[in-house]
Amino acid sequence: MTRFYLIRHGETEWNAGQQRYSGRTDIELSEHGRQQAIQAAELLKEARYNRVIASTLTRAKQTAEPIAAIRGLTMQTDERLVEADFGQWEGLYAHVIHKEYADQWQAWVADPSDVRAGGTGETRAEIADRMTRFLQETAVEYAGERIVVVSHSTAIRLTVASILGMPLHHFRRLNLNNTGITIIDAGSKGGFTVVQFNGGLTELYR
């Protein structure tokens, strides 16, 4: 069995009450976000993980750095872990998107299978597929390991929704905090089990 600890990156200025869609925009953690990353490292240090893989975006790498350092590991990166491409919505406030891109937004909310976020971004199915493919391939390559994966809110929530067989347009019903820990086990036959979502210590030491 391979165990994944999926962690959303720490807080940024854009998601600290601003409700701006960062997506692929490469922004750094806020000072509070940096403290959250350190706290996550302390929380995870006894979980016996032996690998840390982060999204290539700065906010994910800054979150992963103390998690890797506390166990003397070298952080790896993988571009499949990046946040959703939100197309024309990148950098916009939620209320602006809902007003100025109302039809586009409603289409994205209603039909995740072939509607692209922001007109030119990714579909929800594409996001879930690349994330699930990462888990499948990594579980084979590093079979039996415990792996910390630092990614992003939409990417992680769509991954969980896909594994659970939820309609992907329901992913917004899953609330994921900054540095919330989601644990997923990959079995020897290729299936996934969600052990914990958006949690803390509950299942870390199993």
Side-chain angles (χ1 to χ4, degrees):
M1 181 189 75
T2 305
R3 169 158 287 191
F4 294 97
Y5 300 93
L6 272 67
I7 302 178
R8 182 188 178 191
H9 63 78
E11 180 193 271
T12 70
E13 295 295 343
W14 283 22
N15 61 41
Q18 292 189 16
Q19 292 189 314
R20 292 178 70 180
Y21 277 63
S22 49
R24 300 290 176 87
T25 306
D26 199 14
I27 56 179
E28 296 188 351
L29 296 180
S30 64
E31 183 56 38
H32 182 56
R34 293 175 188 273
Q35 292 302 313
Q36 288 177 323
I38 293 171
Q39 291 167 0
E42 288 289 340
L43 185 64
L44 281 162
K45 68 179 179 181
E46 301 301 330
R48 303 191 307 281
Y49 56 90
N50 46 8
R51 194 170 302 276
V52 178
I53 308 176
S55 152
T56 54
L57 294 174
T58 298
R59 57 193 184 273
K61 292 189 291 185
Q62 289 177 329
T63 303
E65 285 166 356
I67 296 172
I70 204 168
R71 287 187 57 84
L73 301 172
T74 299
M75 177 187 67
Q76 300 170 237
T77 59
D78 194 302
E79 63 183 7
R80 290 173 293 182
L81 299 173
V82 297
E83 180 59 300
D85 181 347
F86 287 119
Q88 296 171 319
W89 301 341
E90 290 277 336
L92 298 182
Y93 294 93
H95 69 87
V96 173
I97 296 170
H98 299 164
K99 179 179 179 180
E100 297 186 6
Y101 296 87
D103 291 344
Q104 201 178 74
W105 173 257
Q106 290 302 321
W108 159 256
V109 169
D111 185 0
S113 61
D114 59 4
V115 175
R116 298 195 171 278
T120 59
E122 289 181 286
T123 69
R124 288 177 182 165
E126 287 173 339
I127 299 162
D129 286 347
R130 65 171 163 83
M131 288 286 292
T132 303
R133 192 165 59 250
F134 164 83
L135 293 178
Q136 291 169 336
E137 294 175 5
T138 303
V140 172
E141 185 174 3
Y142 303 120
E145 293 192 11
R146 292 178 169 227
I147 305 168
V148 172
V149 174
V150 183
S151 186
H152 305 264
S153 176
T154 299
I156 293 174
R157 288 185 292 162
L158 281 169
T159 303
V160 172
S162 178
I163 289 172
L164 294 177
M166 295 171 54
L168 293 184
H169 61 279
H170 288 168
F171 90 100
R172 293 172 64 83
R173 297 179 181 181
L174 298 170
N175 181 62
L176 183 59
N177 298 326
N178 289 112
T179 63
I181 300 168
T182 296
I183 303 174
I184 294 175
D185 286 344
S188 58
K189 296 183 179 180
F192 293 107
T193 301
V194 178
V195 178
Q196 173 177 294
F197 178 75
N198 193 32
L201 281 169
T202 308
E203 298 287 346
L204 287 180
Y205 308 122
R206 278 184 52 197

